[in-house]
Amino acid sequence: MRIGIFGGSFNPIHNAHIYIAKYILHKLQLDKVIVVPVGKASHKNLKMVDSKLRFEMCEKAFENEKNIVVSNIEVRTEKTSYTIDTLKKLISIYGDHNEFYEIIGEDSANNLTTWKNYENILKLSKIVVFRRGHYKNIIQHKNIIYLNTPIYEISSTMIREKIKNNEDVSNYLPQDVLKIIKAYNLYK
């Protein structure tokens, strides 16, 4: 199988995340994309909503996508999440006879050399980079695939700011995700 791994804070998950996961699934003819909400991020200092709520929002966002699944592999642990560790766990679950594709944005690719054991990530998987705009593709490697994906003018930061300012965000999020945000009064 060809398996994509799409990790992120998803704080909150939004329509651009969904479009990207679907686009890469079809563009690279992957059999499955595993969405992995980060538990305890190693690289971000931002205050995130509880990991279980972010996991729940991701599940709602992809509940009708048969080839996209959401994993709790990172949210169920208190330990800091590193891509290399999650990749190794997923390889042990699915088997090393499969092909793995780590899906990241240009912003993350821009800092890839600072990731824990990034060389091993490149040995164990291919890295698929989607466009975010304003970044230079610094690192080149035979296992890095730069896709000319559409650039979506949506970000979790923008959505959190709009919610904080009581602005309408219904065009940026699936309705079920918005219901969770409202039910728990998130990002206020």
Side-chain angles (χ1 to χ4, degrees), residues 10-170:
F10 304 116
N11 189 36
I13 189 156
H14 53 69
N15 291 341
H17 292 130
I18 298 163
Y19 300 146
I20 288 162
K22 289 180 184 180
Y23 179 89
I24 292 174
L25 176 74
H26 297 293
K27 180 78 173 172
L28 296 181
Q29 299 177 336
L30 301 178
D31 296 292
K32 175 187 299 232
V33 170
I34 303 169
V35 174
V36 184
V38 72
K40 184 177 175 189
S42 62
H43 60 284
K44 290 192 176 181
N45 293 325
L46 74 105
K47 184 176 178 244
M48 288 190 286
V49 163
D50 180 75
S51 59
K52 288 168 184 57
L53 281 174
R54 290 182 292 105
F55 173 78
E56 185 182 338
M57 287 188 276
C58 288
E59 279 194 310
K60 285 294 184 188
F62 292 107
E63 69 183 347
N64 296 318
E65 300 296 327
K66 70 176 188 138
N67 294 337
I68 301 176
V69 297
V70 181
S71 171
N72 68 352
I73 198 164
E74 289 190 7
V75 301
R76 68 180 182 219
T77 181
E78 295 296 316
K79 292 162 73 174
T80 299
S81 299
Y82 292 98
T83 299
I84 187 64
D85 299 331
T86 301
L87 175 60
K88 286 179 178 178
K89 286 177 194 170
L90 290 171
I91 289 171
S92 74
I93 292 167
Y94 288 94
D96 62 4
H97 59 282
N98 294 300
E99 287 183 50
F100 294 87
Y101 297 78
E102 283 286 344
I103 301 166
I104 65 174
E106 279 180 318
D107 51 335
S108 295
N110 203 39
N111 300 312
L112 186 62
T113 57
T114 67
W115 290 22
K116 178 183 174 186
N117 298 340
Y118 82 94
E119 302 96 340
N120 287 343
I121 296 169
L122 286 165
K123 287 178 187 169
L124 296 172
S125 70
K126 291 185 173 36
I127 294 182
V128 180
V129 181
F130 61 86
R131 292 173 59 206
R132 292 288 305 263
H134 316 300
Y135 294 94
K136 302 259 190 283
N137 299 335
I138 295 171
I139 187 169
Q140 297 296 319
H141 189 280
K142 66 182 173 98
N143 280 347
I144 297 180
I145 303 165
Y146 287 97
L147 289 182
N148 192 20
T149 53
I151 295 177
Y152 299 101
E153 300 298 330
I154 306 173
S155 73
S156 296
T157 303
M158 177 198 80
I159 291 169
R160 289 192 306 271
E161 194 62 33
K162 285 184 176 294
I163 292 170
K164 188 176 168 185
N165 295 326
N166 294 313
E167 296 177 44
D168 181 29
V169 293
S170 59

